[in-house]
Amino acid sequence: MQLLHIEVWVGNEWQRVTRLDGKKDYRPPERGSWDDDLRAELDAFLKVNPETFWVETTAAPHGVLFGSGVPRLFRLVPVR
């Protein structure tokens, strides 16, 4: 098993998520996490926040607003 990070598609590139902010605040572990744990946390966050939320990434530390009409493309990738 490998440690993983969450990435989100913003603009025209994948960016590593550092914080998900909505009704529930979630900061993925900085050093990564195991597949089942990370997937469960991401799924729980998205269920609580079906419409609008902020995503902070390594490339956009001040955040990007995701609205209800914006595709939410997330993936889990191995820690490099």
Side-chain angles (χ1 to χ4, degrees):
M1 286 181 105
Q2 289 184 310
L3 288 174
L4 303 171
H5 284 300
I6 298 173
E7 288 188 344
V8 62
W9 183 259
V10 178
N12 61 353
E13 67 180 349
W14 289 102
Q15 298 178 16
R16 187 170 67 83
V17 172
T18 57
R19 182 176 177 217
L20 296 168
D21 185 17
K23 296 175 189 168
K24 174 184 178 182
D25 184 42
Y26 176 63
R27 291 181 187 265
E30 198 170 307
R31 294 182 179 194
S33 186
W34 303 109
D35 184 26
D36 292 342
D37 298 336
L38 206 53
R39 188 173 312 278
E41 288 290 334
L42 179 59
D43 288 345
F45 176 84
L46 293 173
K47 284 180 186 173
V48 173
N49 298 285
E51 299 196 10
T52 303
F53 58 88
W54 281 95
V55 176
E56 294 177 10
T57 69
T58 51
H62 298 294
V64 176
L65 181 64
F66 276 69
S68 58
V70 176
R72 297 164 184 203
L73 303 174
F74 290 93
R75 70 180 184 180
L76 302 180
V77 295
V79 171
R80 294 178 198 119

